[in-house]
């Protein structure tokens, strides 16, 4: 079971977790990325490429489901304006065994960072700037090359 | 054409329809052609190393052949998640 | 911030998640192990070694916090009788960056499986049997040897 | 002494207080001594490869020196999580 959602709605971790854990699997791994509250960002704005974003996320989820024989995968990504402490992205994987769930979860968030068309803009101290891509993201994504 | 993030901001619009001449056969050539016709586009496209593209929603290298696409998107490297 | 809990109380994923995500971190990784509902187990009973269990879990959390510079680690383990679909264990890690959170979460659940004194007994079709240890758990735990 | 899981079930009790002679200086020797004194203990301890131990809540190998512990636990390999 695969569910991919991209929307401006607030992400509730409890709701997301309940959805991925309804699969009857033995192990659920999740990763949640939040707007950090410790580095002075007042607003994080996420722009995306409608249509292409969902297609990219579905392709990643398909790959993970096949590679780790997952029972379920769920990706929920917020776009628009967000505040510190709010959830930017939820990734959840369900599998019979924990190793598959954990690896697939790491795979999805690493690849999502480099392959899905999202762009972050930060407002801090009244100044707005686009976030620069990080080399470490490319390194993290590259380790999953089969 | 679709533009995203600071490419969109520098060009001043999110989308436009263009009709490049037939010798424009790659994404890079399309970028050159757009930059030659407008200072805003030229400003947005000044550093080619910081541009990425998708043709009909498929991510491609800038030297990829253009074909006859319905939709070409130009944008910065992604920074999501 | 480290919190280790071992009790017979039902584990609520939303409550657990809220607790680990209150740290202000940018990334939260979690693993949740549930009683599987697909292999005929009617009751899973967990016995543990009171005192020694909590000490073992705290030692693991301390190790993970130091090794991955975590902002928070949370381990909640249920004991007693459980039914299919109920949560056996919640592991949550909070870090500034996702790689640390994800790796530390995998470390904690892998090591917990081999180092914390819990014993599982399964009741299926009216028959009760103790779960045998799995070699794959030793392999998973061994990969974290520094 | 504390016993857990099927070791507890086979011995028929979760705990007991014992006073082994002074020549019992390792966990393995303690197990031998307990098994010699009771058929239930002997049945629980029949396969030494499937036994693990903790002395004063510290996990140890069966050949570890015993010292003068307050609490020794004997149990199967763990299967938690």
């Amino acid at each position: 079971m695969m569910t991919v959602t991209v929307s401006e709605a607030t992400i509730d971790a409890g709701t997301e977790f309940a959805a991925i854990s309804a699969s009857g699997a033995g192990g659920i791994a999740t990763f949640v990325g939040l707007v950090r509250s410790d580095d002075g960002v007042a607003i994080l704005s996420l722009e995306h490429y409608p249509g292409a974003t969902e297609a990219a996320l579905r392709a990643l989820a398909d790959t993970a489901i096949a590679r780790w024989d997952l029972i379920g995968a769920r990706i929920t990504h917020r776009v628009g304006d967000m505040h510190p402490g709010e959830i930017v992205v939820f990734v959840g994987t369900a599998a019979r065994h924990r190793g598959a769930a954990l690896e697939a979860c790491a795979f999805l968030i690493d690849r999502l960072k480099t392959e899905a068309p999202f762009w972050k803009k930060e407002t801090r101290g009244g100044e707005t700037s686009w976030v620069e891509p990080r080399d470490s993201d490319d390194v993290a994504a590259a380790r999953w090359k089969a | 054409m679709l533009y995203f993030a600071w490419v969109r901001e520098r060009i001043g619009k999110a989308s436009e329809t263009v009709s490049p001449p037939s010798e424009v056969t790659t994404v890079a050539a399309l970028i050159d052609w757009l930059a030659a016709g407008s200072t805003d586009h030229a400003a947005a496209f000044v550093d080619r190393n910081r541009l990425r593209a998708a043709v009909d929603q498929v991510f491609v290298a800038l030297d990829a052949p253009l074909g006859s696409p319905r939709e070409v998107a130009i944008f910065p490297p992604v920074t999501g998640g």
Side-chain angles (χ1 to χ4, degrees), chain A, chain B:
Chain A
M1 189 194 61
M2 187 241 287
T3 307
V4 165
T5 308
V6 179
S7 96
E8 296 197 2
T10 304
I11 297 175
D12 175 67
T15 304
E16 296 300 315
F17 185 84
I20 186 65
S21 66
S23 59
I28 309 288
T30 74
F31 177 81
V32 172
L34 304 102
V35 183
R36 277 164 53 176
S37 45
D38 63 352
D39 63 357
V41 172
I43 303 173
L44 180 72
S45 305
L46 258 138
E47 181 171 334
H48 78 126
Y49 183 168
T53 313
E54 292 85 344
L57 297 182
R58 278 194 296 268
L60 282 179
D62 277 336
T63 301
I65 287 168
R67 183 162 168 182
W68 284 280
D69 195 20
L70 300 181
I71 295 170
R74 185 175 180 88
I75 304 174
T76 306
H77 208 300
R78 190 165 165 197
V79 291
D81 287 356
M82 288 159 248
H83 300 91
E86 293 184 336
I87 295 177
V88 180
V89 58
F90 173 96
V91 173
T93 53
R96 296 175 68 82
H97 299 296
R98 72 184 184 283
L102 288 161
E103 281 192 27
C105 183
F107 165 89
L108 285 174
I109 187 66
D110 281 350
R111 292 282 288 262
L112 182 158
K113 293 260 182 186
T114 58
E115 295 187 12
F118 291 104
W119 299 275
K120 275 181 181 158
K121 191 164 66 172
E122 293 177 345
T123 301
R124 64 177 90 207
E127 303 261 312
T128 293
S129 62
W130 290 95
V131 173
E132 289 294 313
R134 301 190 313 171
D135 289 343
S136 62
D137 285 337
D138 289 329
V139 171
R143 74 190 166 109
W144 297 105
K145 291 273 154 48
Chain B
M1 301 297 309
L2 296 176
Y3 308 115
F4 294 106
W6 50 256
V7 172
R8 171 181 55 72
E9 289 184 339
R10 289 186 195 175
I11 291 174
K13 51 190 157 190
S15 67
E16 63 183 324
T17 301
V18 299
S19 300
S22 59
E23 65 265 28
V24 171
T25 58
T26 66
V27 176
L30 178 62
I31 289 171
D32 289 340
W33 179 75
L34 289 163
S38 139
T39 52
D40 288 339
H41 288 71
F45 297 155
V46 67
D47 184 354
R48 302 293 158 90
N49 290 326
R50 298 179 67 209
L51 298 179
R52 301 292 181 272
V55 174
D56 286 334
Q57 303 206 352
V58 175
F59 295 77
V60 297
L62 296 193
D63 59 359
L66 198 53
S68 305
R70 291 177 44 250
E71 177 178 306
V72 177
I74 313 287
F75 43 79
V78 305
T79 53

